[in-house]
Amino acid sequence: QSMSPPQQRSQPRPETQVLNELITRKMLTPLDVAEAAALLSSFVSKGQSPAKLALTPRLEEAKEDLKELTAELMHLQAEAGVPLAKDATRYVDYVLNWAMVEAVYAWASGEPFAAVCSLTSLLEVSRGPPSLVVPIVSLPSFPDSSPSLTHPP
């Protein structure tokens, strides 16, 4: 009787690990719903992140804390022998994307869609919904019981 080889466990995606730590460490707690939605958009956004963002002080602090957390997890994984980027900045940029943070914050704050659209150049359509829509409709897939993340005020 032959035995099948043990199945190898695949590595979780890095954004999943960061998101788990973000939730476990309750880093969303000091944020209001719009700030939390904006911060979470960094996990699903695509595109070029702007050089300068106009964020609330709490959201700016949460952004920096999330970048530090991501770099910390990269270093821990590297120590455990998981092959990753050699540069923490490149790894953080790989995992997090800030392209839609302002637009998602505006949307979650109840701004008119035209105003939200003015905050980003990511409105091109390439085989699917506009890039602006993807982060917004992807947010409900994150584990959160707050219906206000999916339905702005």
Side-chain angles (χ1 to χ4, degrees):
Q1 182 177 13
S2 67
M3 294 179 50
S4 59
Q7 292 185 0
Q8 292 203 347
R9 294 173 54 190
S10 64
Q11 286 295 101
R13 294 172 44 190
E15 58 271 16
T16 303
Q17 294 171 331
V18 175
L19 183 61
N20 285 336
E21 278 299 311
L22 174 81
I23 292 167
T24 302
R25 294 183 188 195
K26 299 180 180 183
M27 293 172 68
L28 297 174
T29 302
L31 305 177
D32 65 30
V33 171
E35 291 166 331
L39 189 68
L40 290 172
S41 76
S42 67
F43 291 98
V44 294
S45 294
K46 305 280 186 265
Q48 182 68 33
S49 295
K52 182 76 172 131
L53 296 169
L55 306 176
T56 66
R58 280 191 311 217
L59 185 51
E60 180 64 42
E61 182 178 346
K63 175 185 170 240
E64 294 306 315
D65 290 346
L66 184 55
K67 287 168 64 175
E68 288 174 18
L69 170 65
T70 304
E72 175 188 334
L73 290 175
M74 184 211 81
H75 291 297
L76 289 172
Q77 291 174 3
E79 288 174 9
V82 177
L84 299 168
K86 293 178 178 30
D87 179 320
T89 302
R90 293 179 78 187
Y91 183 76
V92 168
D93 290 344
Y94 170 74
V95 175
L96 305 172
N97 185 301
W98 308 105
M100 299 302 299
V101 172
E102 288 177 311
V104 171
Y105 177 79
W107 167 79
S109 296
E111 294 291 324
F113 194 69
V116 172
C117 292
S118 72
L119 294 172
T120 183
S121 61
L122 297 177
L123 295 176
E124 314 85 34
V125 177
S126 63
R127 291 193 178 267
S131 297
L132 173 63
V133 176
V134 173
I136 291 173
V137 298
S138 297
L139 287 173
S141 67
F142 284 105
D144 182 47
S145 60
S146 172
S148 53
L149 278 180
T150 57
H151 303 289

